[in-house]
């Protein structure tokens, strides 16, 4: 089976079909045909975003889906993720991870190491946001390896490595219910089947047995994923590891995996150690065309939501003495008094509480932060939004001037003009007309590229956040 041609873009990047054809060695017509097929599949089942900042999607079609297709070019949108269609692997990465030296001109190749760092940072972000349980050391080892800049190769390696580590500790077996014909009576006799037998077959017994076997659903899914990955990988290290796993799972039956098979798997204390490789299985099969009956595979997420989920993880790690709620529903109207006007529910990104009493409202905003005359420039809509959240909570809990915080991303190529001091994430502050405090903070996304332990990623921001929160609550 031929390997995938890899198309890598960053959010909102635009590249011509001619440039892609030259780079990938595929005709412009074939590229456009594949991308239209991808957009049609995306339009049938677009991802549902919880973010307030995600634009409302309307009129999705073959020209507007995961990507925007023009007559002579393709443009990435606000989605990040990866997908496979025909012989093409499309991977769209967050623009915050774009390296300093990257160039959109198709005649200049992007720095190999810079693109690898962006891929690994993106996976780190997915890891903590969706609980994939990938260890830091695994990603650190890949940083200096010769693995191709393909998210498929990275996930295949992580899957194979984690599964190999677990099978070294012991093969997973479970009792399987088997119904078969036996010459001697053992197990449970299937009476209804036995009495229906013709005389010349009554010398055998229809029995039901429970056999402690490795040929179970979980192992069959692993075996199918090993075979699928082996057919897709081009990296020698992956081929070697997968070949060894093929021999380990030699006694397992092959089956074509469907979505229903993945749902049927349940974990207990006996097989919980296989949860991590199973999570990687779901990514590989669902995103790269390994599910039977599905022509297009992919993982898509609105970057606004991914940034919010990442900040949620940071807040929970940093503010363990507080309660952190994500997207709690608030009512703008007084429901007790009724009325004949309806409006959208209000969903603040994060409510920080102490003993169930709100002490701050935080909103994560994945967007540029402007500077005018040396001062931060923030849209009035954003300020009104976070102010209303705080006012609703103040009225509901009889609290006094619940402070507000806005959090923006920062990197070498995104909001880079915002200067921060060492170990300081707060870049601006103001006071609303009623005396309510507003803080503006930035999270340095470059930390995801650095060789830090996952627990240390939020440390710098967390310390600054706790200090700022303490100042807000104790002026």
């Amino acid at each position: 089976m031929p390997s995938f041609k890899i198309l890598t873009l960053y959010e909102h990047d635009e590249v011509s079909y001619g440039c892609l054809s030259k780079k990938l060695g595929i005709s412009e017509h074939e590229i456009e045909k594949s991308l239209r097929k991808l957009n049609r599949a995306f339009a049938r089942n677009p991802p549902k975003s919880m973010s307030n900042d995600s634009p409302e999607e309307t009129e999705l079609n073959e020209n507007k889906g995961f990507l925007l297709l023009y007559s002579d070019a393709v443009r990435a949108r606000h989605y990040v993720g990866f997908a496979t269609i025909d012989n093409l692997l499309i991977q769209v990465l967050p623009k915050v991870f774009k390296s300093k030296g990257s160039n959109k001109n198709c005649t200049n190749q992007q720095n190999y190491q810079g693109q690898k760092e962006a891929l690994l940072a993106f996976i780190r972000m997915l890891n903590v946001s969706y609980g994939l349980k990938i260890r830091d050391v695994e990603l650190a080892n890949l940083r200096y390896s010769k693995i191709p800049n393909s998210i498929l190769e990275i996930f295949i390696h992580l899957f194979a490595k984690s599964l190999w580590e677990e099978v070294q500790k012991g093969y997973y077996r479970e009792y399987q219910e088997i119904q078969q014909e036996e010459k001697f009576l053992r197990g449970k006799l299937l009476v209804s089947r036995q009495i229906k037998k013709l005389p010349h077959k009554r010398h055998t017994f229809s029995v039901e047995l429970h056999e402690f076997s490795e040929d179970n659903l979980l192992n069959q899914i692993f075996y199918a994923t090993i075979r699928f990955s082996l057919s897709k990988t081009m990296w020698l290290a992956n081929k070697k590891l997968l070949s060894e796993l093929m021999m380990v799972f030699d006694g397992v039956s092959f089956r074509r995996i469907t979505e229903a098979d993945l749902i049927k798997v349940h974990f207990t204390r006996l097989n919980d150690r296989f949860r991590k490789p199973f999570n990687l299985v779901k990514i590989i099969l669902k995103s790269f065309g390994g599910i039977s009956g599905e022509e297009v595979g992919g993982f898509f997420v609105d970057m606004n939501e991914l940034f919010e989920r990442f900040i949620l993880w940071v807040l929970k790690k940093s503010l363990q003495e507080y309660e952190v709620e994500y997207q709690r529903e608030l009512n703008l109207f007084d429901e007790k008094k009724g009325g004949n006007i309806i409006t959208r529910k209000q969903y603040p990104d994060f409510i920080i509480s102490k003993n169930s009493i709100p002490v701050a409202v935080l909103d994560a905003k994945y967007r540029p932060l402007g500077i005018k005359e040396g001062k931060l420039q923030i849209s009035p809509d954003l300020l009104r939004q976070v102010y209303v959240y705080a006012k609703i909570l103040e009225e509901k809990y009889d609290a006094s001037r619940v402070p507000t915080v806005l959090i923006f991303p920062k990197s070498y190529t995104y909001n880079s003009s915002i200067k921060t001091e060492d170990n300081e994430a707060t870049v601006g502050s103001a006071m609303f007309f009623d005396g309510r405090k507003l803080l503006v903070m930035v999270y340095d996304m470059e930390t995801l590229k650095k060789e830090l332990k996952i627990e240390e990623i939020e440390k710098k921001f967390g310390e600054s956040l706790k200090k700022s929160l303490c100042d807000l609550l104790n002026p």
Side-chain angles (χ1 to χ4, degrees):
M1 192 177 293
S3 61
F4 288 119
K5 300 288 185 178
I6 303 171
L7 166 58
T8 303
L9 297 170
Y10 291 88
E11 290 171 89
H12 306 294
D13 271 0
E14 184 175 322
V15 61
S16 69
Y17 293 129
C19 175
L20 292 178
S21 178
K22 182 179 178 181
K23 181 179 179 180
L24 302 175
I26 308 174
S27 71
E28 294 183 35
H29 173 72
E30 288 299 316
I31 293 172
E32 189 175 359
K33 179 182 174 183
S34 294
L35 296 183
R36 290 189 189 284
K37 194 185 295 184
L38 170 63
N39 274 352
R40 286 196 295 270
F42 180 91
R44 287 194 295 270
N45 188 29
K48 293 179 175 62
S49 175
M50 294 180 65
S51 173
N52 297 316
D53 299 320
S54 300
E56 195 170 329
E57 292 285 35
T58 56
E59 299 179 359
L60 292 174
N61 51 48
E62 65 177 19
N63 293 318
K64 179 186 176 184
F66 181 47
L67 304 168
L68 273 178
L69 304 185
Y70 303 116
S71 59
D72 60 347
V74 56
R75 181 182 178 87
R77 300 181 64 212
H78 58 282
Y79 295 101
V80 292
F82 34 90
T84 54
I85 182 69
D86 298 329
N87 205 31
L88 198 61
L89 166 61
I90 302 102
Q91 47 192 29
V92 179
L93 307 178
K95 58 190 172 186
V96 289
F97 297 138
K98 210 170 188 177
S99 61
K100 277 184 177 179
S102 63
N103 193 327
K104 288 194 293 184
N105 191 331
C106 66
T107 60
N108 298 323
Q109 290 292 328
Q110 188 177 22
N111 177 267
Y112 171 85
Q113 192 62 27
Q115 192 178 97
K116 180 186 285 186
E117 288 177 358
L119 275 166
L120 294 177
F122 178 40
I123 291 174
R124 257 188 164 183
M125 200 173 183
L126 293 174
N127 183 32
V128 297
S129 300
Y130 293 96
L132 301 181
K133 298 184 179 180
I134 300 169
R135 291 176 298 168
D136 300 300
V137 66
E138 295 174 290
L139 295 177
N141 290 339
L142 288 173
R143 182 185 177 95
Y144 298 105
S145 70
K146 294 182 179 180
I147 191 169
N149 282 350
S150 161
I151 202 161
L152 171 60
E153 294 284 7
I154 293 173
F155 275 124
I156 286 175
H157 184 76
L158 293 172
F159 157 69
K161 196 79 173 175
S162 64
L163 182 58
W164 178 256
E165 288 175 359
E166 294 306 328
V167 295
Q168 293 301 300
K169 300 173 189 175
Y171 208 26
Y172 174 63
R173 292 178 172 86
E174 66 181 23
Y175 283 102
Q176 298 287 105
E177 184 180 286
I178 301 171
Q179 293 184 355
Q180 61 187 27
E181 297 298 314
E182 292 282 342
K183 290 184 179 180
F184 303 97
L185 181 60
R186 64 187 184 115
K188 176 184 174 182
L189 179 66
L190 300 175
V191 178
S192 59
R193 185 187 294 184
Q194 186 72 22
I195 62 177
K196 292 179 182 178
K197 284 183 177 180
L198 296 174
H200 68 282
K201 292 183 178 181
R202 288 178 183 167
H203 66 285
T204 63
F205 297 95
S206 298
V207 296
E208 180 180 282
L209 305 172
H210 287 83
E211 188 175 272
F212 197 54
S213 169
E214 71 273 10
D215 196 13
N216 51 66
L217 177 59
L218 181 60
N219 283 341
Q220 288 169 0
I221 291 173
F222 284 146
Y223 181 53
T225 307
I226 293 166
R227 286 181 49 152
F228 174 78
S229 300
L230 196 55
S231 72
K232 298 297 182 184
T233 186
M234 294 297 291
W235 192 34
L236 188 59
N238 278 350
K239 285 180 177 289
K240 182 179 178 182
L241 189 52
L242 290 166
S243 297
E244 291 175 349
L245 284 169
M246 283 284 286
M247 290 188 285
V248 172
F249 285 82
D250 183 54
V252 177
S253 304
F254 174 73
R255 69 187 291 160
R256 297 191 181 279
I257 306 303
T258 64
E259 185 81 31
D261 291 327
L262 299 178
I263 295 172
K264 288 177 186 175
V265 174
H266 296 287
F267 287 93
T268 66
R269 62 182 181 83
L270 297 177
N271 64 354
D272 194 64
R273 60 192 177 93
F274 290 95
R275 189 185 294 270
K276 177 185 166 185
F278 181 75
N279 286 338
L280 294 168
V281 160
K282 290 192 289 185
I283 292 175
I284 292 170
L285 296 184
K286 288 184 177 182
S287 304
F288 302 109
I291 296 293
S292 180
E294 294 187 9
E295 185 180 9
V296 180
F299 170 84
F300 319 101
V301 60
D302 187 304
M303 193 56 208
N304 295 290
E305 179 175 349
L306 182 58
F307 181 62
E308 288 175 11
R309 284 182 174 272
F310 174 70
I311 294 298
L312 174 63
W313 172 80
V314 172
L315 294 176
K316 286 186 173 182
K317 295 286 288 184
S318 305
L319 303 176
Q320 294 186 21
E321 64 271 34
Y322 293 88
E323 300 120 41
V324 181
E325 290 183 86
Y326 177 56
Q327 295 280 352
R328 190 213 290 185
E329 182 182 299
L330 300 178
N331 291 316
L332 190 59
F333 294 135
D334 187 339
E335 292 184 329
K336 294 179 181 179
K337 296 184 178 180
N340 62 350
I341 300 174
I342 59 172
T343 187
R344 291 178 62 183
K345 300 285 188 181
Q346 306 298 302
Y347 296 93
D349 290 343
F350 315 106
I351 298 174
I352 311 299
S353 303
K354 188 81 168 180
N355 300 321
S356 301
I357 303 299
V359 296
V361 178
L362 285 71
D363 249 18
K365 298 298 178 185
Y366 186 76
R367 59 182 64 191
L369 189 57
I371 294 182
K372 186 176 182 180
E373 299 176 356
K375 295 184 178 181
L376 298 178
Q377 189 175 27
I378 300 176
S379 164
D381 289 339
L382 300 186
L383 298 176
R384 280 194 292 267
Q385 187 182 53
V386 75
Y387 176 85
V388 168
Y389 295 154
K391 192 68 178 175
I392 293 173
L393 290 171
E394 186 178 298
E395 292 294 322
K396 184 175 181 179
Y397 290 92
D398 195 23
S400 176
R401 293 175 182 170
V402 175
T404 58
V405 182
L406 293 174
I407 304 172
F408 295 82
K410 177 185 183 299
S411 69
Y412 287 141
T413 54
Y414 193 80
N415 284 333
S416 56
S417 60
I418 308 299
K419 305 301 179 185
T420 56
E421 302 293 333
D422 288 341
N423 295 319
E424 184 57 57
T426 301
V427 294
S429 62
M431 193 169 287
F432 285 104
F433 62 90
D434 61 352
R436 189 186 316 278
K437 290 183 179 180
L438 167 71
L439 284 186
V440 178
M441 306 182 75
V442 292
Y443 187 89
D444 185 4
M445 303 299 286
E446 293 294 329
T447 57
L448 285 163
K449 291 185 178 182
K450 297 174 182 176
E451 294 181 78
L452 298 173
K453 290 184 178 179
I454 209 76
E455 293 81 8
E456 295 176 3
I457 289 178
E458 91 291 344
K459 186 175 181 181
K460 178 179 173 182
F461 180 85
E463 290 175 351
S464 179
L465 177 61
K466 281 191 278 190
K467 179 179 178 296
S468 299
L469 198 58
C470 185
D471 292 341
L472 281 174
L473 300 177
N474 303 289

